[in-house]
Amino acid sequence: MPWHPVFARLCAALALGTAALLAHAADKGAPPTAVKPVVDIYGDLRVSDPYRWLEATGDPAVRRWSAAQDRRTRAYLDKLPARKPMFDWLMKQAAASSSAYYGLHAAGGRLFALYNQPPRQQPMLVVMGQEADPAQARVVLDPNALNPKGTTAIDWFVPSPTGKLVAVSMSENGSEDGSLHVFDVATGREVDAVIPDVQYPTGGGSLAWREDGSGFWYTRYPGADAPAERRHFYQQVYEHRIGDDPAKDRYVLGRDFPRVAEIVLEARPGTPGVVVSVGNGDGGEFAHYLIGKDGGIRQVTRFEDKVVAAALGPDALYLVSHDGAPRGKVLKLGLDDLALAHAQVLVPESDGALQPGGESGAAGITVTRDALLLREIVGGPSRVAVYGLDGRPRGHLALPEVATVDELEAMDDGSLLVAVKTYLEPPRFVRFASAGGEGKPTLLRQTSPLSFGDVEVVREFATSRDGTRIPLNIVRRKGMKLDGRAPLLLNGYGGYNVSQVPRFLGAATRMWLDAGGVYVVANLRGGGEFGEDWHAQGALTHKQNVFDDFAAAAQYLVERGYTSHRRMAAIGGSNGGLLMGATLTQHPQLFRAVVSTVGIYDMLRVELDPNGAFNVSEFGSVKVPEQLAALYAYSPYHHVQDGARYPAVLMATGETDGRVNPMHSRKMIARLQAATGSGRPVLLSINAHAGHGMGSSLSIRVNQAADIYAFLFDQLGMAYRPGR
């Protein structure tokens, strides 16, 4: 591997840092952490890792260290006067909010949904009529009854076409390690053998029923009997018949798929088969197959074709392509000729980016019996464009100007249920009688005791280092003075083609605003807000653009008079946790406090993590010289400098996280605690009953929110005022 000039500078800095670990001021209240350097060699590059031993999750010494860190964090947080009142108020608001419905599936003339009813710990599965009247809703499956501890969660569900049966993946402790159960909808009784190993992060899991409800195709992992390096990879498709022994289920597809395949299966009544979408890890490459009713399999696209989504209609296959169209165009293929070269361009690229399906497979294209509906995103907000099946435009659904549409369900009666979310109002479903006309509100709407009538959302733009304009969604009290005194919380993500879109602000943000705070969401590169080009500019060797965007956003907010550096905090999770780590190491004095949850910090060892292989297509690999150079250039763990005046830091992780190895948080906290010269606390919270956040119980989620805001209020000198 050739030497790269950036390596010389970084190696020199790292060598000095390692030699001086104990020579500088540090976080004096932190538990002692042994330094046991291990040297890794990447070609001519030598890298010292002082805390490699903290990667051994099951080691008793690591467990003792983790427990000591968590005790220290709890002692700090629990003594804060605002912490318990915050928790009580947040839980009260959750309990006073109405039930929420989401994850809609229409089947057999009925509507299935997940149903969240605070203060119950976990959402339930319910069924109701097509009228979408929650008064008619009946619980089919209640995880809270199965497990009163609240640690059993529904990963996903799919009803049979007749609506008589429903298949459900369930997992424990936020692990997303799901087993499949089949229930009779009328009785709620489990009617088939449990099928293990159908769901795991990040590959996920999926299922599509046969049209007669006699069985289904589903995803399956090699499972517990396989070697550890294969157990949660090599996802494949199997076919199951109700009543059969799952051990004898028929293999269908996937033996030649990549190790990091992410498979989504989709079938709708009245269409001639099952669409199989196969993601090549998390980088946005997809291949598509069609399973016919006779079981025959035809491949339609390959990874290199740049087709990112597929939807099956009664007599055609519709594809979303990025080939020469980074915001997406729609192709149409007749089912008698699935050669991609013969596809018709039905809808050309527009100024809006077609929303990518991503890991969930929920692509932004819906086919009804007479229309094509395309969910588009323009810098953050959504719109829904309507086309005839012949490609002729029919306008857009009537929606609020700044809103998110993340669910669009075609009902059996031809109507559409559309989920509408905004910053200032709770989520609601609107019914459109057809693909056009005015929408009518349904009773599927959430209510909240909170009002945001005194709040406004303004959209401004920061200029990044290379001149790119970065949208900022600024939530503030009406009439606020821009005198630089307000505490401000800046949120960012910037990766995986994931867009930061309007969502109801909720109780925690209301509490922040009532204390005089400003809340800002930045639409950074790496996301999908402006299409694939926007994503690509923040991925692989271009990842530094994301950190530059975030720093530019923070500086803009100071210069504009919203806040000052001593009154500003940053927050992000997962890939946004990487953003937090890179920001605080590159700009230690930009923020007064940083909250980073389930983050990634050691970029040289990401691909070695249990889930890390899925990230290579997004971050790159140390095996590729130019990608190694980029990874090392921003890797937060390797850029902690002894004596630097770092902000106060609160990191949180879950022991059952299957998406980001908790070792990242352990190592980063140890390194920061040894190095910081600011005298501000560097804290780590570790939850034994949580993972990456999916499936966490209500009490865990509210506790974490109370921890975060109590920490921020303390560090920014804010007075807690019980919300309205």
Side-chain angles (χ1 to χ4, degrees):
M1 182 178 295
W3 180 260
H4 193 283
V6 74
F7 291 165
R9 298 192 298 272
L10 295 175
C11 283
L14 185 64
L16 288 172
T18 302
L21 272 176
L22 302 179
H24 290 278
D27 184 353
K28 302 298 185 182
T33 305
V35 178
K36 303 176 183 180
V38 174
V39 175
D40 293 311
I41 300 174
Y42 303 88
D44 295 326
L45 174 66
R46 296 171 62 85
V47 181
S48 180
D49 183 349
Y51 300 111
R52 178 67 53 81
W53 68 276
L54 286 174
E55 293 185 9
T57 298
D59 188 294
V62 175
R63 292 189 178 277
R64 288 192 297 272
W65 180 91
S66 298
Q69 291 285 347
D70 194 63
R71 283 196 301 272
R72 185 225 183 179
T73 300
R74 288 260 53 91
Y76 165 86
L77 293 170
D78 291 344
K79 76 178 181 184
L80 297 176
R83 200 276 174 196
K84 187 178 186 303
M86 282 182 175
F87 173 83
D88 292 341
W89 187 80
L90 290 169
M91 187 62 84
K92 178 182 177 182
Q93 303 313 306
S97 299
S98 70
S99 302
Y101 296 84
Y102 60 97
L104 271 54
H105 281 269
R110 290 183 278 185
L111 183 64
F112 293 78
L114 290 174
Y115 166 61
N116 190 24
Q117 187 187 43
R120 296 196 181 189
Q121 297 293 324
Q122 292 287 351
M124 299 165 279
L125 173 61
V126 300
V127 63
M128 67 190 82
Q130 288 202 90
E131 300 82 6
D133 182 356
Q136 301 176 4
R138 177 174 56 81
V139 175
V140 177
L141 175 63
D142 182 0
N144 305 285
L146 293 178
N147 180 357
K149 294 181 180 179
T151 56
T152 299
I154 296 174
D155 304 309
W156 46 263
F157 72 94
V158 185
S160 67
T162 62
K164 294 182 179 180
L165 300 175
V166 61
V168 184
S169 172
M170 289 190 286
S171 58
E172 297 291 331
N173 290 314
S175 66
E176 301 177 74
D177 189 351
S179 296
L180 190 68
H181 305 253
V182 179
F183 297 91
D184 180 278
V185 172
T187 65
R189 183 172 55 88
E190 195 161 358
V191 296
D192 203 18
V194 176
I195 305 178
D197 305 311
V198 301
Q199 151 75 31
Y200 198 78
T202 291
S206 189
L207 179 147
W209 283 89
R210 284 189 164 275
E211 194 156 15
D212 62 2
S214 63
F216 46 77
W217 293 269
Y218 69 100
T219 54
R220 195 166 89 185
Y221 294 85
D225 294 336
E229 64 272 15
R230 295 184 60 88
R231 192 170 300 159
H232 297 132
F233 299 94
Y234 299 103
Q235 190 184 44
Q236 297 176 8
V237 180
Y238 281 76
E239 183 181 8
H240 177 74
R241 297 278 183 169
I242 298 297
D244 285 356
D245 180 356
K248 298 179 180 179
D249 285 350
R250 184 178 72 88
Y251 161 81
V252 176
L253 188 64
R255 286 177 182 153
D256 57 346
F257 288 175
R259 177 173 181 255
V260 291
E262 302 177 12
I263 302 172
V264 175
L265 309 171
E266 185 176 10
R268 294 192 71 89
T271 59
V274 177
V275 174
V276 183
S277 299
V278 184
N280 185 18
D282 286 339
E285 293 183 336
F286 296 88
H288 299 89
Y289 299 78
L290 186 62
I291 302 176
K293 288 187 176 181
D294 60 358
I297 301 171
R298 291 182 285 174
Q299 184 168 6
V300 183
T301 75
R302 292 171 169 76
F303 295 135
E304 60 269 23
D305 291 329
K306 299 184 179 180
V307 173
V308 298
L312 190 60
D315 56 4
L317 185 65
Y318 299 87
L319 308 172
V320 176
S321 172
H322 282 167
D323 187 17
R327 291 187 299 275
K329 61 185 177 184
V330 179
L331 310 179
K332 183 177 182 179
L333 276 173
L335 298 181
D336 56 345
D337 180 5
L338 291 178
L340 186 59
H342 299 162
Q344 167 195 359
V345 178
L346 190 69
V347 179
E349 184 182 35
S350 75
D351 63 326
L354 288 173
Q355 291 192 11
E359 179 186 331
S360 68
I365 178 170
T366 299
V367 184
T368 70
R369 49 198 178 208
D370 64 353
L372 200 64
L373 296 107
L374 305 179
R375 289 191 292 119
E376 299 175 328
I377 185 167
V378 185
S382 296
R383 69 187 185 199
V384 179
V386 184
Y387 293 85
L389 297 181
D390 58 1
R392 293 182 181 179
R394 297 185 184 173
H396 296 82
L397 295 186
L399 298 169
E401 184 176 355
V402 180
T404 298
V405 172
D406 58 5
E407 288 191 56
L408 196 160
E409 184 69 2
M411 305 296 289
D412 296 344
D413 62 4
S415 65
L416 302 167
L417 287 179
V418 179
V420 178
K421 299 179 180 178
T422 65
Y423 285 116
L424 304 182
E425 295 182 58
R428 61 194 185 276
F429 281 90
V430 177
R431 184 189 296 274
F432 290 84
S434 61
E438 293 294 321
K440 294 184 178 180
T442 72
L443 295 175
L444 287 181
R445 60 182 299 123
Q446 189 175 5
T447 61
S448 170
L450 303 171
S451 168
F452 286 86
D454 61 335
V455 175
E456 62 183 357
V457 181
V458 297
R459 195 165 164 87
E460 299 182 17
F461 291 82
T463 301
S464 193
R465 185 177 183 179
D466 63 357
T468 302
R469 281 164 51 85
I470 307 303
L472 304 179
N473 305 281
I474 302 171
V475 183
R476 64 190 189 186
R477 298 280 290 271
K478 293 176 181 176
M480 76 164 289
K481 295 181 180 179
L482 299 185
D483 57 8
R485 298 181 180 180
L488 186 145
L489 182 58
L490 178 60
N491 186 318
Y493 186 80
Y496 292 96
N497 219 351
V498 172
S499 300
Q500 297 290 86
V501 297
R503 307 278 184 193
F504 181 52
L505 295 171
T509 306
R510 179 72 261 182
M511 185 171 64
W512 180 262
L513 295 169
D514 285 342
V518 179
Y519 178 68
V520 182
V521 178
N523 295 124
L524 310 174
R525 281 177 287 184
E529 288 90 344
F530 294 102
E532 179 54 31
D533 279 352
W534 192 254
H535 167 229
Q537 289 176 43
L540 296 172
T541 58
H542 304 293
K543 190 70 176 176
Q544 181 60 39
N545 284 334
V546 182
F547 316 136
D548 291 343
D549 293 353
F550 197 68
Q555 191 60 37
Y556 171 87
L557 292 163
V558 171
E559 293 173 356
R560 184 79 170 78
Y562 279 101
T563 189
S564 64
H565 292 294
R566 65 182 181 84
R567 296 282 278 168
M568 184 166 55
I571 188 169
S574 191
N575 173 77
L578 165 61
L579 171 64
M580 297 300 105
T583 298
L584 72 88
T585 51
Q586 293 180 18
H587 307 280
Q589 298 186 42
L590 191 58
F591 295 98
R592 177 61 175 77
V594 171
V595 174
S596 185
T597 60
V598 293
I600 307 166
Y601 309 108
D602 184 344
M603 299 309 297
L604 300 188
R605 293 180 64 77
V606 169
E607 60 194 284
L608 301 179
D609 290 346
N611 193 54
F614 290 95
N615 300 311
V616 168
S617 53
E618 178 74 14
F619 296 142
S621 170
V622 297
K623 300 172 185 176
V624 180
E626 61 271 22
Q627 293 177 356
L628 170 61
L631 288 164
Y632 194 30
Y634 69 76
S635 179
Y637 179 63
H638 299 99
H639 285 77
V640 178
Q641 296 296 314
D642 297 306
R645 295 182 60 79
Y646 288 113
V649 176
L650 174 61
M651 289 186 180
T653 188
E655 288 187 3
T656 63
D657 192 342
R659 293 174 181 259
V660 174
N661 191 332
M663 70 87 172
H664 286 274
S665 297
R666 293 194 292 262
K667 290 172 59 175
M668 187 66 177
I669 281 290
R671 185 70 186 95
L672 284 170
Q673 288 175 343
T676 186
S678 68
R680 296 165 186 157
V682 176
L683 304 169
L684 177 62
S685 174
I686 305 174
N687 195 305
H689 301 289
H692 202 64
M694 295 76 166
S696 292
S697 66
L698 175 64
S699 60
I700 287 176
R701 288 181 277 121
V702 175
N703 264 302
Q704 186 174 73
D707 286 347
I708 288 170
Y709 282 91
F711 168 80
L712 291 174
F713 273 54
D714 182 52
Q715 291 301 316
L716 271 61
M718 300 168 66
Y720 171 63
R721 301 169 185 169
R724 55 188 64 190

